[in-house]
Amino acid sequence: MAEEVREHGYTGGESVVKKYVTQLREAFHLDPPRKAPSVRDVTGWLTRHPVRLTDDQAQRLKAILARCPALDRRADHVRACAEFMNNRQGRDLGQWINGVQSDDLPALHTFVTGLGQDLDAVVAGLSLRYSSGAVEGHNNKIKMLKRQMFGRANFDLLRKRVLLAARGRS
């Protein structure tokens, strides 16, 4: 703002300009200009369930999607994918993949190609109610114990801590 005024011959300081603009905004009840949403903001809006968006976020997302049709198509695909992931509808994956491949969206094509490399496992993961979450939790805890003890003790003590952790006593 001060740079624009300097172009017209102003030689004073920037703080004076800021103070004057603040007074003008208060006098005319002008809202300060909005900060443009970051990529992280827009990604969060796209991946969040539409019901969980505030009215302001929904309006801003709608305006962004209206300006960028390619992003709007991606958003539709992402929401459809989230829908069958949340509802464990792995049987719909093939139809979704065909829809993505028929659209000209290279970034999603790469993702779909990766899914296709082990499609049976992905469908099973999206369909079955079984999970390896408990096993992954134990692996994570063992790795944490191993990191905590790195360079401090021998294998016997690590073994003892892992066994105690499995019993819930560590």
Side-chain angles (χ1 to χ4, degrees):
M1 178 82 59
E3 294 164 3
E4 292 177 32
V5 177
R6 280 194 191 105
E7 290 174 4
H8 294 287
Y10 177 71
T11 57
E14 189 172 335
S15 62
V16 175
V17 174
K18 285 183 180 180
K19 186 175 180 182
Y20 183 72
V21 169
T22 303
Q23 289 173 352
L24 282 176
R25 283 189 179 135
E26 289 172 358
F28 290 104
H29 303 290
L30 298 175
D31 293 329
R34 267 194 181 168
K35 186 186 103 190
S38 67
V39 172
R40 176 177 242 150
D41 290 335
V42 176
T43 302
W45 299 340
L46 289 174
T47 56
R48 201 172 306 146
H49 196 283
V51 175
R52 293 196 176 121
L53 292 175
T54 65
D55 290 338
D56 182 53
Q57 291 170 338
Q59 288 174 351
R60 293 176 79 184
L61 178 61
K62 187 176 180 181
I64 290 168
L65 294 178
R67 285 186 301 217
C68 184
L71 183 61
D72 192 23
R73 291 193 321 267
R74 280 188 192 97
D76 291 340
H77 289 302
V78 167
R79 286 191 186 115
C81 182
E83 192 68 32
F84 68 74
M85 285 175 62
N86 288 334
N87 297 330
R88 295 215 175 270
Q89 298 170 333
R91 63 187 178 280
D92 297 339
L93 183 63
Q95 181 182 354
W96 180 79
I97 287 174
N98 291 336
V100 169
Q101 288 175 334
S102 67
D103 221 344
D104 184 30
L105 303 169
L108 286 179
H109 289 187
T110 305
F111 176 67
V112 165
T113 301
L115 290 178
Q117 291 176 351
D118 200 1
L119 189 60
D120 292 335
V122 175
V123 170
L126 293 174
S127 302
L128 302 175
R129 60 184 179 87
Y130 305 107
S131 170
S132 62
V135 174
E136 293 299 327
H138 288 297
N139 285 343
N140 193 30
K141 187 161 196 160
I142 289 171
K143 287 179 183 181
M144 183 223 20
L145 290 171
K146 188 176 168 186
R147 278 193 302 271
Q148 284 178 342
M149 296 183 60
F150 181 78
R152 295 189 178 146
N154 60 12
F155 181 74
D156 295 330
L157 183 57
L158 174 63
R159 181 179 178 275
K160 189 170 191 166
R161 284 197 66 190
V162 168
L163 293 174
L164 287 172
R167 289 182 172 177
R169 291 194 205 168
S170 75

